[in-house]
Amino acid sequence: MTDLAHTTSIGVGNKLQLFNPRRLAVALLLMILALAPGQLGEVTRAMMIDAYVQVSVFVAATLLIFYGSERLFNYDIGTSLSRAKHWQVPIAALMGATPGCGGAVVVVSAYASGHVSFGAVVATLTATMGDAAFLLIATRPDAAAVVLPLSLAVGVTWGWIVDRFNTSEYRTGTQQSYNTTPVIGKTRLRDVAYLIPAAPALIVGVAQLVQTDLHNVMGIPVGVIGLAGTALGLAIWAMSPLVAMTSSQDTPVTRMAEETSFISVWVIGAYLAYEYVDVFAGLDLATLFNSVAPLLPLVGVLIGFIPGCGPQVLVTTLYINGLIPFSALVGNAIANDGDALFPAIALSPRAAVMATIWSAVPAVILAYAFYLLAPGFMS
């Protein structure tokens, strides 16, 4: 879902924006499934509503706060990182541990430009959980409170170890940067419109976290709010000219709408994949996964090698639904690089491969440490 395809046009600001036909086809398919009669439509609508109120609105709130503070205080973390010298590794790990992929992408670009060490790259890719972090925070904050600090600590430690013992240079040049993200420009009407259902849906999401069910907000049914927000998000995603990340030159509201919509599609896909298999395929997933339980931590690590956030969101969804152990989630969280692996491959392919290999070592060790020593932890 992260590829740029051939296009049809739609206006944005003073420029011609592009449709992605593949995204449009996916969005239309999802809406058709939601409108389907009988159990198929009911299950689809329920999962869309859950994905929106349980994850999307929290992602939107987090991104708005993060990008808003960045704009308000006018700081550029990328520039600060290049001046950090001995503090590059912990700062890079902290940027990676930040939910989403933006921080890790900045570190990867800084490495390609010759401003940070290879250990900083390993640190940020080890610490990052990508967009799956938003899903975990929203649905299992107790598990997130363990996984994210653990990934951060491992990233810092492993990054320092790499800088101490690695003597190879993997950069292909010193003048490259990853700055191909289109600038959208002014805040669009649909960016502001995205806030309208998000505000009441956030109230519903917070209420669910404290075990309170709200059936409507200001007289509007939760289902209507959730489906409206989902439909608007799908429209924004289908019309987006971006691959995944937004430009730092865009406004916080635009960045929030674009990135939340992108993440939401993956979350909806993961929710529906699990629920369809459970309801319609008649497979006992719990029994199936239990039959290969010793391999699940390794499977989590191997899936983490796949570029992008979609597979990682699916792993987190399986954990949330109790189908895989915490050890598999930990292995995946440490091994996965999210969308940051795409610019790493584009700018420094050898560095991307070697950083992934380096991060696999602590991922396997910790995954099986949890599996053998604390099998029921965070279950």
Side-chain angles (χ1 to χ4, degrees):
M1 292 185 187
T2 59
D3 59 312
L4 288 176
H6 305 116
T7 57
T8 359
S9 65
I10 186 163
V12 170
N14 296 322
K15 297 181 180 180
L16 201 63
Q17 198 179 16
L18 306 176
F19 250 130
N20 185 314
R22 294 181 184 178
R23 291 187 178 188
L24 182 60
V26 171
L28 290 175
L29 175 60
L30 289 173
M31 296 311 298
I32 290 171
L33 291 171
L35 295 172
Q39 191 176 24
L40 177 60
E42 291 176 4
V43 169
T44 304
R45 290 191 296 273
M47 290 302 99
M48 285 181 169
I49 294 167
D50 285 349
Y52 187 71
V53 301
Q54 293 175 3
V55 181
S56 297
V57 292
F58 290 99
V59 173
T62 302
L63 291 178
L64 198 58
I65 292 172
F66 181 79
Y67 291 139
S69 63
E70 189 178 56
R71 180 64 62 89
L72 178 64
F73 297 108
N74 193 30
Y75 65 87
D76 186 338
I77 190 66
T79 301
S80 301
L81 183 65
S82 65
R83 298 172 180 168
K85 295 184 180 180
H86 300 298
W87 289 97
Q88 283 181 357
V89 166
I91 293 175
L94 183 61
M95 292 174 66
T98 303
C101 299
V105 170
V106 170
V107 175
V108 168
S109 182
Y111 173 76
S113 300
H115 295 303
V116 299
S117 68
F118 179 65
V121 175
V122 173
T124 198
L125 295 182
T126 300
T128 189
M129 193 179 175
D131 293 339
F134 287 117
L135 175 59
L136 191 65
I137 292 170
T139 56
R140 284 294 304 268
D142 57 332
V146 176
V147 172
L148 298 183
L150 177 64
S151 298
L152 173 62
V154 173
V156 173
T157 304
W158 208 239
W160 275 334
I161 290 174
V162 169
D163 272 348
R164 173 65 178 82
F165 293 102
N166 178 69
T167 58
S168 300
E169 175 58 67
Y170 303 114
R171 265 184 288 258
T172 56
T174 58
Q175 299 301 318
Q176 291 178 296
S177 64
Y178 192 71
N179 190 28
T180 59
T181 303
V183 177
I184 293 174
K186 296 181 179 179
T187 302
R188 304 161 301 184
L189 178 60
R190 60 176 173 268
D191 301 329
V192 178
Y194 194 78
L195 293 171
I196 297 175
L202 182 61
I203 296 174
V204 176
V206 171
Q208 288 185 359
L209 289 178
V210 297
Q211 307 298 313
T212 300
D213 287 330
L214 294 180
H215 300 290
N216 63 78
V217 179
M218 296 179 293
I220 305 174
V222 170
V224 172
I225 296 172
L227 291 175
T230 299
L232 184 55
L234 288 173
I236 292 173
W237 176 72
M239 293 187 291
S240 175
L242 308 178
V243 174
M245 301 301 301
T246 55
S247 169
S248 59
Q249 299 179 50
D250 283 319
T251 66
V253 175
T254 295
R255 301 185 73 184
M256 174 277 300
E258 284 284 340
E259 294 187 22
T260 302
S261 299
F262 173 82
I263 294 169
S264 297
V265 173
W266 285 111
V267 175
I268 291 170
Y271 271 40
L272 289 179
Y274 168 78
E275 199 69 14
Y276 284 170
V277 170
D278 183 51
V279 174
F280 300 115
L283 294 178
D284 188 341
L285 294 177
T287 301
L288 178 63
F289 286 132
N290 284 335
S291 67
V292 293
L295 295 176
L296 292 179
L298 179 60
V299 171
V301 172
L302 293 176
I303 293 176
F305 294 162
I306 302 173
C309 291
Q312 326 314 333
V313 169
L314 180 58
V315 169
T316 304
T317 302
L318 293 175
Y319 168 74
I320 291 167
N321 286 281
L323 296 177
I324 61 174
F326 183 74
S327 56
L329 178 71
V330 168
N332 177 262
I334 294 175
N336 101 64
D337 303 329
D339 289 328
L341 196 56
F342 288 119
I345 292 171
L347 296 175
S348 299
R350 291 180 61 219
V353 172
M354 294 308 301
T356 299
I357 293 173
W358 273 100
S359 66
V361 176
V364 172
I365 292 173
L366 284 172
Y368 277 100
F370 275 101
Y371 179 77
L372 296 173
L373 303 178
F377 186 69
M378 286 291 170
S379 59

